Amino acid sequence: LKLLAAAPPLQSLEELRLELVPEGQSGLVGFESRNCGDLSSLAESCPTLDVLRLLCPGFQMGAHPTLRVLDARLGTLPASLDSIYEASLPKLKDLHVGFELPSEEPMNKKLIWPEETLKTLLKGKGLKSLKRLFLWPEGVDARKFKLPKAAPISKWARLKVVSSNRLTFDTDAYFA
């Protein structure tokens, strides 16, 4: 991100994938502790960015006037989700977010969303342009995960729960 911010804008870059080990972090850091940092500089350094794929759960969104797809299906910290609500994303149509379900031995405890986190997401705060919301639950009982029937966001966006064993659903961008 620092290199992108320091370079001339990439006028034709439409899709960007930020890797599993963000710059300046050790590969030994557990997945749930990885942080891409503040993504707001991408609006200037990638002014035509259409698709952003995040392979780390920690990030601060920032405004992105052209972003149409935000894909954080491998995991999204509750604080990262909050930053999405606060960001100006006027063209955001597709949002993919991953989280861990409570279990006896969760792999990534920080990715277990408190009950209020899912409720806030389903209210759609700050996501009025959204057309599709994809939820990627991870854990032993992921196949049993059900959405509440009367989620306010379902008035304007289609909701889909996708099994985490289908991470390549809709794209091969994760394992290229």
Side-chain angles (χ1 to χ4, degrees), residues 47-58:
T48 58
L49 191 62
D50 190 48
V51 178
L52 179 59
R53 299 189 195 286
L54 301 172
L55 281 69
C56 60

Side-chain angles (χ1 to χ4, degrees), residues 118-150:
L118 183 59
K119 284 182 183 176
T120 302
L121 174 62
L122 296 177
K123 287 178 186 171
K125 177 185 171 195
L127 301 172
K128 298 301 180 194
S129 65
L130 204 65
K131 297 295 178 207
R132 287 168 296 279
L133 172 61
F134 295 87
L135 298 174
W136 296 80
E138 173 69 55
V140 209
D141 293 330
R143 285 181 278 195
K144 296 178 185 173
F145 178 78
K146 300 285 184 228
L147 285 168
K149 293 192 190 285

Side-chain angles (χ1 to χ4, degrees), residues 1-43:
L1 291 177
K2 291 174 188 171
L3 292 174
L4 283 173
L10 299 171
Q11 298 293 339
S12 61
L13 184 68
E14 294 178 354
E15 184 169 339
L16 179 64
R17 178 179 79 173
L18 297 179
E19 292 294 331
L20 284 169
V21 183
E23 69 182 309
Q25 293 182 28
S26 166
L28 300 175
V29 172
F31 178 73
E32 65 186 13
S33 299
R34 294 180 184 173
N35 194 318
C36 293
D38 185 352
L39 304 175
S40 57
S41 64
L42 291 176

Side-chain angles (χ1 to χ4, degrees), residues 46-167:
C46 307
T48 58
L49 191 62
D50 190 48
V51 178
L52 179 59
R53 299 189 195 286
L54 301 172
L55 281 69
C56 60
F59 55 88
Q60 293 81 46
M61 197 60 222
H64 292 276
T66 62
L67 195 64
R68 202 180 46 75
V69 177
L70 176 58
D71 192 339
R73 71 182 71 186
L74 293 185
T76 312
L77 293 173
S80 301
L81 201 54
D82 289 343
S83 77
I84 293 171
Y85 306 141
E86 302 304 320
S88 173
L89 302 166
K91 293 188 178 180
L92 189 66
K93 300 292 182 224
D94 290 2
L95 175 61
H96 293 259
V97 287
F99 55 98
E100 184 138 346
L101 296 172
S103 67
E104 287 183 28
E105 294 184 34
M107 287 184 60
N108 297 295
K109 290 179 185 172
K110 293 179 186 174
L111 293 178
I112 296 174
W113 293 353
E115 187 177 327
E116 194 56 38
T117 298
L118 183 59
K119 284 182 183 176
T120 302
L121 174 62
L122 296 177
K123 287 178 186 171
K125 177 185 171 195
L127 301 172
K128 298 301 180 194
S129 65
L130 204 65
K131 297 295 178 207
R132 287 168 296 279
L133 172 61
F134 295 87
L135 298 174
W136 296 80
E138 173 69 55
V140 209
D141 293 330
R143 285 181 278 195
K144 296 178 185 173
F145 178 78
K146 300 285 184 228
L147 285 168
K149 293 192 190 285
I153 197 171
S154 65
K155 292 177 183 166
W156 66 89
R158 186 177 61 134
L159 304 178
K160 182 160 178 99
V161 177
V162 187
S163 169
S164 60
N165 66 4
R166 294 186 60 207
L167 283 176

